[in-house]
Amino acid sequence: MKNFAKLFPILSQYTYLNTASSGLLSVPVMEWRQEHDLDFLVQGSLLKENQGKILGSVREKVGELFSCEANRVALVPNFSYGFNTLLEGIKTHKKVLLLEGDYPSINWPFESRDFDIKYTQISFNIEEVVAEAFKKDTPDIFAFSLVQWLDGLKINQGFLKELKALYPDTLFLADATQYVGTEVFDFDNSALDAIGASTYKWMNAGYGNGFFLFKESIVDRVAPSTTGFNSVQGKYKPQEGNFLGRFEPGHQDTLNYGSLGVAIDVINQLGMGVIDKRIKDINIKAKEMFLENGLLSKAIAERESHGAFFNITGDDKTIIKLKNQDILTMVRGEGVRVGFHYFNTEDDLAHLLEVIKS
């Protein structure tokens, strides 16, 4: 088994169960960042002459990892920036379906604009609830997080494809920040018209980088007005007014986007299929143990589709107790959110349970 503490040194000191809050910085990403800034120090503008090559390479890596052509990949500093740009391109009054209590960066941008918004509840049978909401009043836009930020509840991809087949004219827009990097994902074969993600969590790319993926058809339905000189600079952004350029109007930071590129290299070296299996295996075991110890709600327990983290019974005192034993987690909602990435082991799970039960 790979010694992940060599890849993420913090693991030699802590049991890290807080990826749902912040991913880790790997040694390869750190070394690349140091080399990049040293090059900038001694080369100045000569380094920036390679900006287009760096950004084009990162765009291609993102597209290859998630099965989306590079000319439909926008590089953005974070999900919220890209999502607000996207919504600015939807000019007419539209009916929108949101999930009540979803991540604020999904709901607030709609609520701050002139949309006709309806909400449906997040529940253990969320697919049935959403399907019923569509039947009652079909929305023009359905916007949601693929994995819910409080408890890890994941909307079933098969259900989304069936729903999209029934309502092809509804735009499906998703926040994938708590999803990308946890399992193999084929965007072009998904139900989604656009997804966006900040990549500092499960992709371990550091802060200040993210991306959006678009289906070809969305260009005819969304027209952001944002623009700038960088909108036509670089590969895949050939002319003024091009769609990708609307999301990249200013100078792009090669340090941050280059970090994303190296983070994807790390993922590819391990293998996304291997990562997928490791995350599923450890989370299946965690779910079993949490149920056995009465730490998980029955509603979550009955669902087959779930993300890479859970919300278990606990409070601020639990967090202090865990931190005193070098276990890093966070209070979210009515419990303690614990996440298991590919670098986590059953020993980490056993340590968590031992401290909680003590």
Side-chain angles (χ1 to χ4, degrees):
M1 183 182 296
K2 186 176 180 65
N3 183 0
F4 289 111
K6 290 184 178 180
L7 188 61
F8 303 105
I10 190 176
L11 300 180
S12 64
Q13 182 179 358
Y14 293 100
T15 298
Y16 196 80
L17 304 179
N18 206 25
T19 302
S21 177
S22 176
L24 298 178
L25 189 69
S26 70
V27 169
V29 172
M30 181 273 292
E31 290 177 342
W32 187 89
R33 291 171 69 92
Q34 287 184 327
E35 184 177 344
H36 174 280
D37 273 356
L38 181 59
D39 287 343
F40 193 21
L41 179 70
V42 299
Q43 295 179 22
S45 64
L46 293 174
L47 173 67
K48 294 303 177 181
E49 291 177 3
N50 292 319
Q51 175 174 310
K53 183 178 179 181
I54 293 173
L55 297 177
S57 173
V58 174
R59 197 187 311 278
E60 289 161 3
K61 288 178 182 179
V62 172
E64 183 177 355
L65 182 61
F66 299 116
S67 300
C68 177
E69 294 178 358
N71 64 357
R72 292 183 280 115
V73 177
L75 300 178
V76 295
N78 54 63
F79 170 81
S80 297
Y81 174 92
F83 198 56
N84 277 276
T85 301
L86 183 68
L87 296 195
E88 281 297 295
I90 303 174
K91 301 300 183 183
T92 56
H93 192 69
K94 299 286 187 182
K95 292 191 295 182
V96 179
L97 179 65
L98 302 176
L99 303 180
E100 189 172 354
D102 204 340
Y103 192 60
S105 289
I106 276 280
N107 287 2
W108 288 357
F110 282 104
E111 292 166 351
S112 66
R113 293 173 172 84
D114 187 22
F115 287 101
D116 178 10
I117 301 172
K118 288 186 170 54
Y119 299 88
T120 192
Q121 290 185 335
I122 298 171
S123 62
F124 75 95
N125 62 336
I126 189 170
E127 290 84 2
E128 296 175 23
V129 173
V130 169
E132 186 60 34
F134 267 71
K135 288 180 183 178
K136 185 176 180 181
D137 190 9
T138 303
D140 299 306
I141 300 170
F142 175 37
F144 56 97
S145 297
L146 282 172
V147 175
Q148 286 301 310
W149 66 300
L150 292 178
D151 59 11
L153 183 146
K154 180 172 67 176
I155 298 182
N156 184 276
Q157 293 276 357
F159 161 75
L160 291 174
K161 290 191 72 172
E162 293 173 2
L163 191 66
K164 182 67 171 178
L166 291 172
Y167 304 96
D169 293 332
T170 298
L171 275 179
F172 283 44
L173 310 178
D175 177 3
T177 300
Q178 294 284 18
Y179 174 74
V180 290
T182 65
E183 67 179 22
V184 175
F185 176 59
D186 183 339
F187 172 71
D188 278 348
N189 194 39
S190 75
L192 304 167
D193 294 287
I195 70 164
S198 298
T199 46
Y200 65 91
K201 293 182 185 286
W202 301 92
M203 292 185 69
N204 299 306
Y207 289 80
N209 51 60
F211 62 82
F212 264 74
L213 310 180
F214 305 103
K215 293 287 176 59
E216 290 183 0
S217 58
I218 203 170
V219 177
D220 299 323
R221 305 182 63 181
V222 178
S225 56
T226 47
T227 190
F229 185 59
N230 195 67
S231 293
V232 294
Q233 302 298 307
K235 194 176 179 182
Y236 305 110
K237 299 188 295 181
Q239 75 287 327
E240 185 177 355
N242 73 87
F243 189 72
L244 284 189
R246 300 298 186 182
F247 291 83
E248 303 176 7
H251 289 291
Q252 300 285 74
D253 188 346
T254 51
L255 175 69
N256 286 333
Y257 293 120
S259 299
L260 172 57
V262 178
I264 292 175
D265 291 341
V266 172
I267 289 172
N268 289 335
Q269 287 166 10
L270 293 168
M272 194 60 237
V274 173
I275 290 172
D276 184 318
K277 186 177 186 306
R278 285 188 61 88
I279 290 176
K280 283 185 171 62
D281 287 348
I282 185 64
N283 279 282
I284 287 171
K285 184 65 175 178
K287 183 177 179 180
E288 292 174 356
M289 297 306 296
F290 292 155
L291 284 172
E292 185 178 308
N293 288 275
L295 297 171
L296 199 62
S297 71
K298 185 179 179 182
I300 290 294
E302 292 177 349
R303 285 186 58 83
E304 292 185 10
S305 185
H306 198 79
F309 57 94
F310 298 90
N311 196 306
I312 62 174
T313 303
D315 53 23
D316 289 329
K317 292 181 180 178
T318 308
I319 293 293
I320 295 172
K321 184 178 181 180
L322 293 172
K323 194 170 184 180
N324 286 339
Q325 295 298 319
D326 297 328
I327 300 174
L328 299 184
T329 60
M330 179 173 286
V331 168
R332 274 289 181 261
E334 298 180 354
V336 173
R337 189 176 65 184
V338 293
F340 296 88
H341 211 335
Y342 65 80
F343 51 70
N344 290 117
T345 66
E346 289 192 20
D347 288 341
D348 294 336
L349 174 59
H351 185 204
L352 172 68
L353 292 171
E354 180 183 8
V355 174
I356 287 177
K357 288 190 289 186
S358 68

